[in-house]
Structure formats: structure tokens, C-alpha cells
Amino acid sequence: MSNHSKVVFEGWLVRYGKRKLGRAFFHMRYFVLEPNLLSYYKRKPKDNMVPLRTLEIDGNCRVEDRGLKPHHGDVFCFLCIYNRKQKDHQITMGTKDMQELMAWKQKLQEVIDQQQDSTTSKHRKAFASMDFDNLGSFALSDLETPLEDEEDSSHNLGRRLTIGNGPPDSLHDWTKDTEFGGPSHTDANQVHSRKNWRLVRCQNGLRIFEELVPVDYLPRSCTRAMKAVGVVEAKCDDVFKLVMSMDLERYEWDCSFGYGSLVEEVDGHTGILYHRLQLDWCPMLVWPRDLCYVRYWRFNDDGSYVVLFQSREHPKCRPQQGYVRAHIESGGFKISALKTRNGRPRTQVQHLMQIDLKGWGVNYLPWYQQRCVLQILNSVAGLREYFSQEDGIKAVARIPKMLGAESDSNLEKKDTKPPDAGKQQAQQANVETLDEESDDEEDYQEPEAFIEEESIKADSDADAKYSEDEQSEDIDISAFTGILLRDASDKGRNCWMVPEGNLFKVRSKNFPYDKSKIPGGKYLMQLAAADWFKSHSRIDHVARRRGCAVQVAAEKGLFSLVVNLQIPASTHYSMVMYFVSKHPRPGSLLQRFVDGDDEFRNNRLKLIPSVPKGSWIVRQSVGSTPCLLGKAVDCTYIRGQNYLEIDVDIGSSAVANGVLGIVCGAITNLVVDMAFLVQANTVEELPEQLVGAVRLAHIELSAAADLPDLDNANS
């Protein structure tokens, strides 16, 4: 690393990229910006540490705002810096804090401007020193000057910073109108669309404006634009994050919100959304309304946010049965910071909506449509009250989930692709997941980025320590029975046993910094029984079977984790393993997994496979690379009062199905180990701990028992 005096800016950021097969990764890296170089390291550099990668910065570099990207429930904002002449040489970096990212953007622009000015000065000196008498004929285009590109002759900021792919076509940016406090100069294309406004009322602490049109009479099919302006005592960033949310928290401040989902993510700034309106009309007379619209956002240099709406048609979001598709002609939010008052941040929120609710009845009642628009605009008052409930409330960054509108159970299911298209995509996704799922390349997210290197160095034996309340206690499992018998001998057949935990490697306390791993050690739960079932159809929710190990454990006051490996064939098989322990400690990673949502579970449930005895082909096919089960195959989670069942559909993955075919052909000659754990993604969660493991020895298909009638079993 060069002299620290040359450093312009430095700090921890998230490095974003894609691997060869297209799977994205997020890595925490320490970035250092120098006058002509951007580099990043695995940890804060010292002495002459060599960076992982560098990018030379000159006048040809550009900074592009890549917008938002979700990762494991968090939302990151990203910048991409690249050389205009070598666009394949680029670095994408981001953070959760928009203000921090804008500080990096400003520093990068300053360095690029300095390099551009330096290059221009050199060209001028060279031009002034030319001997024109001896130069002969030449073309001005032969000189390599900064004016060779039209974009370099435009405004200084615009030529060095781009925002995604820009706003979608025909999307009107109403925030650029002079009356909204926008710039006094307006593009020629925007002049005709300037709006004049008049205050029509004040309600709920908001000023409500209505668009003034140059004509006295409007056709019933035309609607006036209306906007609400209010002040919210919160930071701009927090208000913006809440406005972008489309989850259950929106019910707390938007009384017109019924349901929302993300249909398609165009880029980090643009997305297609589906939205149901929940307005106070009479459901017996007026049908409910829904929307399909494009949403575009940007962060301005003055620190304000702009969110724009406009209705769009989309093949994945067709009109739904029982709903009238309303049309947003123009709409959105402008969120601007105000001066603080009594030390509290303040933000001005402008919400504009020009919407046609459609339907023959509403269009003949203009006052009724205006009433509905006012209810939508009242969300600004909802934002104000939401942040006033608690001092220092912090809005959580959320964006809509990647779900098509037709995925909701209440919507009419319509196929927009050929029948095999979805299956092929799912198989392709599974292929990429299994091929790319290398533990050395797994994503890691470090929340406490500013930790000094000295604070992360611990004694080597500290990695092997587990808190006493996290370790499983010895439980008498003699009362548990299953179809497969337990046999600890090496020559046992058609049986199960528990392998040593130290045979499996898990992430150590220092994993984020040196990728080190330690032996797994003691399990959190004990394997009490194993069942081997067969049936003519897929076997789901086996924990409801009367007299199974789950019910025995519940009678003893124990908690059970059931792993049901569903093996498809002409006859369906299920290998069911019952892990028992005391109830997980509140706040522990295991408890968060048990009581978490399916997205969290899919991102955390990890399987470590191994074939200690078997043919070389099988060992190579199965391997020993850890795999996130929820990303590789479909998993169904059933949370009972004293148990959590995980039904793993191995047939949902083409790759897993192929490996399974090889294994089933030689299963009687195999000894297979499987260890389960919850992946640790933060320093506080490290080191990882194994939940449980099983060793299956020489299993025979003929030994599988017919499944009892689960429908008549006790729940």
C-alpha cells in the first residue's frame, strides 16, 4: 500500500459481482481511494499489504449509480466505477447507508475531475508547443483531446455520473417543474407539462393542492392531478426506505394499501409493481381497484429523493378477476431535507397522484374520485404519525419481494410461459446453485465493518468453545423407536448411527477474515430415531403420525426437529430423522431459525454431506461441499407446537435427481453421512455449531415400511 498521506478516502464497503454462472456474491472489503487509484483489501491494510484488486482512475472513468439490491433481507445501494474505454474493467461497491455512498460518489468524482483537468492541461501545453511551420497538413481529429466525445463537452456532473438506465420512456418527471421547487431551466420537452397549482384545503396537517388547467371543462375521462405536502420529523433516508416498502409495515402508515408485490426488477432504480388499493368505498356497489405500474427512483445531489409512478402493462401482471385495473397517469413522492428544529431532523414530503379509477360508475361521480385520491394522499400524514410514535424510531430498509402478482394465492393463476419453461428455469437455477455452492465462495456479510484487525484475533482454542446453554444435554433416547435400528458397529447394515462431530468442518470465529474452519464438536440436538417409509405418493408432514418420535418428545417436554428427505421414484420414499433437545434458547441462532420465516430458513439451512464408504463415482458425485438446502431444492417448513418439520423435495432439482439416481443404484453398498447446521452470517453468530448429524449404513429399499394413514392421525 502506498503512503497513507496520499489516501483521499477509505472505509468498509460491500463488493458486489457475479460469478461465471451468473450467481451474485456480496463480500465485505476495505476500499482505499488514492489520487489515481482505487483498490480494496480483505482487511484494513498495513505496511505493504498487496490489494486484492486495483482500478486506475483517469479522465475516462465514469461513476454509475446502480441503485438498490436486496441480500438476505437487507437492502444495499451500489455505485459502479469503470473506464469508458475499457468497460469490462469495473468495480461495483455499495453500502446500506445512502449518505455514505454519496460521500464516496463525491470523492470519486473529485478524483476523476482532477485527472481530467490534468489531462486537459497537458494537451493544451502540447498544442501550444507545436511547431506549426513544420507540422504540415493534419486533421484536428488526429489530436487525442478530451473533446473527442460529445458527453465530455456537456455539464461536468452529468458526464461523470449516470443513474442506472435512466427513467423509463414517457415517464414524466413532475419534480422538475418550477412550481415544485425544481430547477428554473426546463427541457423543451417538459415545457408543455408544467403545472400550476392552487391550495384547495388543509387537512390532517397537510396542504392539499389541485392542478389548474387552462380549460373550464374537462371530459369525465380526464382527471386533475392532486398533491399533498407535509413535514415529517425524520431523516430523508428513513422516509425513503419506508416509502419504498411494500410489506406488512406499510399497513401502519398507508391506509389505501391493500397488497403489493414486485413483478419485475428492471434495474436497481426501476421496477414493475402490482398494487391493490384499499379504499373506503361500498364493496356492494363498487368493485375494488388494482394497479400495475412502473416505479423509478433517484437520489439528487441536494440530498433529496424522487420516486415516480406511471401505469404500465406487463405480461406477468394481467387484469385480475374481480378487480378493475385503475390507471396512474402521473404520481410519486419527492422527499427533501429541511433544517433541523430543536435538534430533530425534518423532511418535507410531497406526494402527487393523477389517477383514473376507471369503471363506468366512478367516472360519473367526480367528487367520489376526488375523495379516493385524498385518501391516497393522506399517506403523508400517516408517515408523519408513524415517525412521531417513538423518539429515534428507525425505519427498516425493505423492498418488495421478487414475487409475480400471479403468485399470490388470492389471484387467478395464469400461465404466461410454456408449460415446461418454468420447470426448465428452476432446473437451471438448481444447476447453478449446486455447481457454485462452494463454501470458500459463500457470501458473507459483515455488519460491524469498522472492527480493527487486533480486535478480531482471538486465541486458537476460543474457536472451539461453545456456551454451555447452547450445547445439547444428554437425553435418554431409549424411549424413542423408529423403523431403522441404531447400530454403532462398523459392520452394521440397514441401520443408523451418529458420527463424530469433529468429522465435519464449520466456520470459525475468524472465518470472515481468513476463511478458517474448525471441527464441528458437540451437536446442539440428539438424533433420537430414524424412519424409512414408502408410498405411492409424496410423503408430507410425517410429524402428525400417531406415536411417532415427535409426540414422544412432546410428552417429555422436549423440542423436535424433523428432517424428511423425500426421494421421488415410481415408489416414493422418505428418510425421516428426528432430532430432539430442550427448547432452543431465546435469541439463539437456532431459535431464530425455528421461528423465522421461510426466506430466512432457506438462506440458512446448510447440509454437509459425506460418503465415508462407497464407490469412487458415488463419492465424486456426492462430494463433501456444504450446500444451502433451501437454494438447491424446494423445502417446506411446518411449524408445530413442539416441533419444526422440514420436508426436502429432492426431486425438485435436476442435478440432485441425477446424483440421487447414482446413489440409489448403489445404496446397499454405501455409508452416507449428513450433518445439518444453521449457517452463521455475522460475527456474533460465529463460530457455527452443528445441529445434528446422521450416518446411514447400507440402507435397503426393501426395508422401507408402508406409510400409515396420516389423514386420520392426530394433529
Side-chain angles (χ1 to χ4, degrees), residues 475-482 496 528-529 548-554 556 558 560 578 580:
I475 298 173
D476 183 11
I477 62 173
S478 59
F480 297 91
T481 59
W496 64 270
C548 70
V550 172
Q551 297 188 13
V552 176
K556 295 178 175 293
L558 301 175
S560 302
Y578 305 89
V580 298

Side-chain angles (χ1 to χ4, degrees), residues 608-626:
I608 305 178
S610 177
V611 182
K613 183 178 181 181
S615 66
W616 179 86
I617 295 178
V618 175
R619 291 201 305 270
Q620 292 298 316
S621 300
V622 176
S624 59
T625 302

Side-chain angles (χ1 to χ4, degrees), residues 439-566:
D439 195 63
D440 292 335
E441 293 295 332
E442 282 177 340
D443 304 338
Y444 184 84
Q445 182 179 315
E446 161 91 23
E448 301 294 338
F450 298 94
I451 300 177
E452 295 292 339
E453 185 177 0
E454 290 81 0
S455 64
I456 64 173
K457 294 298 183 182
D459 296 333
S460 58
D461 57 351
D463 288 336
K465 288 184 179 180
Y466 297 104
S467 58
E468 294 182 359
D469 55 352
E470 283 292 335
Q471 294 185 19
S472 63
E473 298 181 2
D474 291 335
I475 298 173
D476 183 11
I477 62 173
S478 59
F480 297 91
T481 59
I483 295 174
L484 294 181
L485 299 179
R486 180 173 183 173
D487 189 346
S489 65
D490 295 336
K491 297 182 179 180
R493 299 187 63 84
N494 201 43
C495 62
W496 64 270
M497 65 193 76
V498 179
E500 288 290 334
N502 290 334
L503 296 176
F504 307 96
K505 298 293 185 180
V506 298
R507 294 176 172 181
S508 70
K509 194 70 176 177
N510 289 335
F511 179 82
Y513 315 103
D514 55 15
K515 300 293 182 182
S516 62
K517 294 189 175 183
I518 57 175
K522 196 173 182 180
Y523 301 112
L524 294 176
M525 306 183 73
Q526 287 185 244
L527 181 59
D531 282 333
W532 183 223
F533 290 124
K534 65 180 178 179
S535 177
H536 296 295
S537 60
R538 195 178 68 181
I539 304 171
D540 298 321
H541 197 183
V542 295
R544 57 195 167 113
R545 182 175 63 88
R546 182 182 304 163
C548 70
V550 172
Q551 297 188 13
V552 176
E555 293 173 358
K556 295 178 175 293
L558 301 175
F559 178 82
S560 302
L561 179 67
V562 184
V563 180
N564 177 15
L565 299 181
Q566 299 170 328

Side-chain angles (χ1 to χ4, degrees), residues 649-666:
D649 184 9
I650 300 178
S652 61
S653 166
V655 173
N657 237 342
V659 174
L660 186 62
I662 299 175
V663 173
C664 287

Side-chain angles (χ1 to χ4, degrees), residues 36 83 112 288 356 376 387 418 621:
N36 62 344
N83 193 297
I112 296 173
D356 185 357
I376 297 174
F387 283 101
S621 300

Side-chain angles (χ1 to χ4, degrees), residues 32-43:
V32 177
L33 176 63
E34 300 179 48
N36 62 344
L37 194 69
L38 176 66
S39 54
Y40 62 81
Y41 306 76
K42 274 192 176 182
R43 58 181 64 89

Side-chain angles (χ1 to χ4, degrees), residues 24 135 239 271 277 294 303 310 319 329 391 443 481 521 625 633 636 668:
L135 189 60
V239 177
L277 295 174
V294 59
Q310 190 175 53
E329 299 175 19
D391 291 339
D443 304 338
T481 59
T625 302
V633 294
T636 302
T668 57

Side-chain angles (χ1 to χ4, degrees), residues 541-545 548 550-551 553-554 558-562 583-584 590-591 593-596 598 601 636-647 714-715:
H541 197 183
V542 295
R544 57 195 167 113
R545 182 175 63 88
C548 70
V550 172
Q551 297 188 13
L558 301 175
F559 178 82
S560 302
L561 179 67
V562 184
H583 285 264
L590 180 58
Q591 182 271 327
F593 173 81
V594 169
D595 296 326
D598 289 355
R601 292 164 176 162
T636 302
Y637 303 92
I638 304 168
R639 180 68 166 96
Q641 183 176 1
N642 295 297
Y643 68 89
L644 172 67
E645 178 173 334
I646 308 172
D647 292 344
N714 293 334
S715 60

